[in-house]
Amino acid sequence: MNLKPGENSTVPPKHHDEGQEEDYEQMLQRLEEEARDHIRIEQQLKLHIDSLQDKIEDMDKSARELQNQLAAKTSACTSLEQELKSLNAKHSELKQRTATLERGCAPFSTVKDSSYSQISINAEEKVGKLHNDLSRMKCMGDLAKRV
């Protein structure tokens, strides 16, 4: 397709006017500058995209590590809960056994307390008698010495 300048073309007609040539030259330079700017911006965007992709990969790795830690802690927590249930069951069992033993020993403790009380009273009485007897003997010894 051979078009002559000025015939249904986007290319402006060729004139011998120097002003138009300068305008075309300036327009061409401006378009070249815009193209370079677009290329520069495209390169900057590619670098930014690469940087963001690296950050996303790092964050995904951190998220996986945190999920693994959470799973481990959840497992440990479950294990501790089971151990706590087991210890609570043992505690309840021992508490019941203690209560049973205390109920079984209650009659003996009453007898034991009353027996100790009686023994204590008897001992005090005997000690009192022994003191009286000793005092009488001393008095008799004193009388015998006098006589």
Side-chain angles (χ1 to χ4, degrees):
M1 171 159 113
N2 262 340
L3 294 176
K4 293 181 182 174
E7 293 181 357
N8 293 333
S9 166
T10 57
V11 178
K14 202 172 194 182
H15 294 288
H16 295 287
D17 188 31
E18 282 184 25
Q20 276 187 328
E21 283 183 26
E22 285 179 21
D23 288 342
Y24 290 139
E25 186 66 32
Q26 287 176 355
M27 190 184 331
L28 183 60
Q29 288 174 355
R30 193 174 65 240
L31 291 173
E32 286 174 347
E33 179 66 27
E34 285 179 18
R36 283 191 296 273
D37 285 344
H38 284 289
I39 291 170
R40 188 177 325 112
I41 290 171
E42 182 181 11
Q43 288 173 342
Q44 289 174 348
L45 288 173
K46 284 181 181 178
L47 290 173
H48 187 63
I49 288 170
D50 289 342
S51 171
L52 291 175
Q53 285 176 337
D54 289 343
K55 286 182 181 180
I56 288 171
E57 289 173 5
D58 290 343
M59 292 175 92
D60 283 344
K61 182 180 176 183
S62 294
R64 282 190 301 276
E65 288 173 359
L66 288 173
Q67 285 175 337
N68 290 339
Q69 289 175 1
L70 177 63
K73 299 221 183 253
T74 301
S75 175
C77 184
T78 302
S79 174
L80 288 173
E81 284 175 343
Q82 290 174 349
E83 186 177 347
L84 178 63
K85 284 180 183 178
S86 173
L87 289 173
N88 280 335
K90 285 181 182 179
H91 178 260
S92 294
E93 179 186 337
L94 289 173
K95 206 171 177 183
Q96 288 175 351
R97 290 174 67 188
T98 302
T100 302
L101 288 172
E102 285 176 348
R103 281 192 306 267
C105 291
F108 295 113
S109 68
T110 305
V111 170
K112 184 174 94 174
D113 291 341
S114 65
S115 296
Y116 285 133
S117 298
Q118 188 62 39
I119 290 171
S120 178
I121 293 170
N122 290 339
E124 288 176 18
E125 290 174 357
K126 287 183 180 182
V127 167
K129 284 183 182 180
L130 287 173
H131 278 298
N132 288 336
D133 289 343
L134 183 61
S135 295
R136 272 189 264 151
M137 289 182 162
K138 281 184 182 178
C139 286
M140 287 185 181
D142 288 341
L143 285 176
K145 285 183 186 176
R146 288 189 205 165
V147 179

